[in-house]
Amino acid sequence: MGKSIVVIGTQWGDEGKGKIVDLLTEQAQAVVRFQGGHNAGHTLIINGEKTVLHLIPSGIMHPGVACVIGNGVVVHLPSLVKEIDGLEARGIAVATRLKLSPACPLILPTHIALDQARERALSNRPIGTTGRGIGPAYEDKAGRRSLRVADLFDERLFGERLAAVMELHNFMLGSYYSAEPVSLDATLEECLTLARRIRPMVIDTVAYLSDLRRSGAKLLFEGAQGALLDVDHGTYPYVTSSNTSAGAAATGSGLGPTDFDYVLGVVKAYATRVGSGPFPTELFDEAGERLARVGVEFGSTTGRPRRCGWFDAVAVRRAVINSSVTGLCVTKLDVLDGFPVVKVCTGYRLNGQVSSSPPLLVDQYSAVEPAYIEVPGWSGSTKGIRSIDGLPAEARAYLQRLEDIVGIPVDMISTGPDRDHNIIVRHPYG
């Protein structure tokens, strides 16, 4: 049997998973996306050149590696084809290596219109979605009215089902949100045109992955967003619409739970969050501004500025439990260079008591005060360092404190944005 590794974010997303997946792909034969949609943004910097991926797995930058979009991903066809064309225009072979599950639900233009209309209606307390139709598409999946990739290839039946679901969507847009309807004819034409482009990539991905694993191949499963945005275990309702914890690698790919051997949790050396929702360690001072500026904290999908704060061990410990995380990869360590003191939140103070667990109710977060410990900072640079011994002693001590507080080892460290700016303490593939 081959070895299967799941890579997830263990904060609120934007932890740098794309770079880590790209690094681990050096030893993998296939990389699999298992949830989310084109609301994800994985940024890779290779030889100084920046690539932002939204749907295609980060392993696409390695020649010869198969890339699989599993059934747990909701697919916006125009975005997928645009991403394929953009990469192939740069000489990267995609169409011959990309495998697409026939069970992927489609994101329709009406899903996007509904998503944006809802956010406008929630002007006082918006969720902070990307407005790309992800939530409405997952709602239709749960409501058993999704159109899936496989449906595209029976044009008559697809047209009938599209008309039915768009009638419902347009009724909601016009009658409830006072928004403009979306053209059925234009949507049908676009879907059927793009279907011809993707047809050669659609295969039985479950059988494909099962055969690879049995043959001894190394598989890599790539999550999107972060575990604290999980629709079940995150800071609901300020979450995404899919399961972002490691268990979704099974349901979103079709393999079974025992087919996974290691879970790598990617965390920043501090914390960030995009959009609305609880963020107990958020900083509104010079330190927060410095983290945002030095860390270049802007969303890779939307360009929205990220909220910044100190490392939140309470939140990460919960993500570790939810996903059975084996080891951590700490990214953006170099952003903390030069801070005289670095803080870590080890508990939440609520109603006079300090707890090591998050509150039961999301509304209680507004009353939470983080309980911090202070760790000496370091004056030397960690950027680009590739050995643990090359780090300043204080930086090594900070990483050790994170290990002790979270309770699992730091197996990898990213010391800069480029592909080779890494320290590998213990390689997940062994």
Side-chain angles (χ1 to χ4, degrees):
M1 284 288 184
K3 187 171 185 179
S4 296
I5 293 174
V6 182
V7 178
I8 61 163
T10 36
Q11 293 166 312
W12 286 278
D14 307 306
E15 299 94 346
K17 298 180 293 297
K19 174 193 168 180
I20 303 307
V21 170
D22 172 70
L23 173 66
L24 295 177
T25 301
E26 292 176 354
Q27 294 197 29
Q29 281 72 57
V31 182
V32 187
R33 261 288 298 278
F34 57 84
Q35 52 77 217
H38 66 308
N39 57 334
H42 292 163
T43 301
L44 310 175
I45 299 178
I46 301 169
N47 298 325
E49 184 176 12
K50 180 177 178 180
T51 301
V52 180
L53 301 170
H54 299 284
L55 274 168
I56 296 173
S58 301
I60 201 67
M61 305 306 289
H62 288 262
V65 175
C67 289
V68 178
I69 297 177
N71 57 277
V73 179
V74 286
V75 172
H76 183 240
L77 289 176
S79 295
L80 176 60
V81 171
K82 179 180 179 182
E83 197 166 326
I84 292 169
D85 289 345
L87 289 167
E88 293 202 326
R90 293 168 50 188
I92 300 166
V94 179
T96 55
R97 296 161 51 208
L98 186 64
K99 320 295 181 185
L100 180 63
S101 169
C104 289
L106 298 175
I107 298 177
L108 303 173
T110 42
H111 289 133
I112 297 171
L114 284 167
D115 195 359
Q116 296 174 1
R118 287 177 185 172
E119 282 291 281
R120 289 193 297 270
L122 294 170
S123 56
N124 292 330
R125 291 188 70 181
I127 298 298
T129 78
T130 58
R132 299 194 172 198
I134 309 298
Y138 275 115
E139 287 176 39
D140 277 357
K141 174 183 176 179
R144 295 170 294 185
R145 55 180 172 266
S146 277
L147 290 164
R148 307 202 294 182
V149 166
D151 296 324
L152 289 163
F153 308 117
D154 184 330
E155 294 189 8
R156 181 191 61 80
L157 184 58
F158 181 81
E160 292 175 0
R161 294 191 61 206
L162 181 67
V165 76
M166 286 189 64
E167 181 180 16
L168 172 62
H169 291 170
N170 279 326
F171 174 78
M172 294 171 65
L173 284 168
S175 299
Y176 191 81
Y177 293 110
S178 300
E180 291 297 315
V182 177
S183 167
L184 170 62
D185 290 343
T187 301
L188 178 60
E189 181 181 358
E190 179 181 57
C191 286
L192 295 180
T193 298
L194 295 176
R196 289 187 280 274
R197 289 286 311 277
I198 67 164
R199 182 65 184 91
M201 307 172 207
V202 179
I203 67 166
D204 182 348
T205 52
V206 176
Y208 178 74
L209 292 173
S210 178
D211 289 345
L212 279 178
R213 182 166 167 81
R214 283 201 303 269
S215 72
K218 294 176 181 176
L219 306 182
L220 192 56
F221 294 78
E222 174 185 37
Q225 292 87 39
L228 300 175
L229 295 178
D230 188 285
V231 70
D232 286 300
H233 301 291
T235 49
Y236 188 92
Y238 301 99
V239 293
T240 194
S241 297
S242 60
N243 289 110
T244 56
S245 48
T251 56
S253 70
L255 296 188
T258 61
D259 287 330
F260 304 96
D261 306 291
Y262 179 107
V263 178
L264 181 68
V266 185
V267 294
K268 283 178 180 168
Y270 49 101
T272 64
R273 179 166 192 163
V274 170
S276 305
F279 188 7
T281 67
E282 184 173 8
L283 296 171
F284 302 95
D285 57 8
E286 184 180 340
E289 185 278 329
R290 177 174 170 178
L291 289 172
R293 174 172 44 82
V294 177
V296 193
E297 295 296 354
F298 297 93
S300 52
T301 297
T302 63
R304 292 182 294 180
R306 298 178 184 135
R307 301 151 65 191
C308 297
W310 296 119
F311 189 95
D312 187 336
V314 178
V316 172
R317 282 195 299 258
R318 180 52 56 94
V320 166
I321 292 171
N322 293 151
S323 292
S324 298
V325 174
T326 313
L328 292 179
C329 173
V330 177
T331 65
K332 291 199 166 185
L333 182 67
D334 56 299
V335 176
L336 296 182
D337 290 354
F339 275 91
V341 173
V342 178
K343 295 183 180 182
V344 178
C345 171
T346 58
Y348 290 166
R349 186 175 288 106
L350 183 64
N351 300 324
Q353 302 291 321
V354 176
S355 173
S356 60
S357 299
L360 296 177
L361 304 175
V362 71
D363 291 338
Q364 292 178 317
Y365 273 97
S366 60
V368 161
E369 293 181 11
Y372 287 118
I373 62 166
E374 294 188 350
V375 179
W378 52 93
S379 56
S381 173
T382 65
K383 188 166 185 178
I385 290 179
R386 300 176 194 176
S387 71
I388 193 75
D389 293 335
L391 293 174
E394 296 86 355
R396 295 198 304 272
Y398 176 63
L399 294 169
Q400 184 62 57
R401 291 301 295 271
L402 295 187
E403 280 194 358
D404 295 341
I405 294 165
V406 175
I408 57 171
V410 173
D411 284 350
M412 300 176 67
I413 304 142
S414 172
T415 57
D418 223 356
R419 177 184 262 180
D420 59 355
H421 290 169
N422 306 289
I423 299 169
I424 300 177
V425 183
R426 285 168 291 273
H427 200 291
Y429 278 122

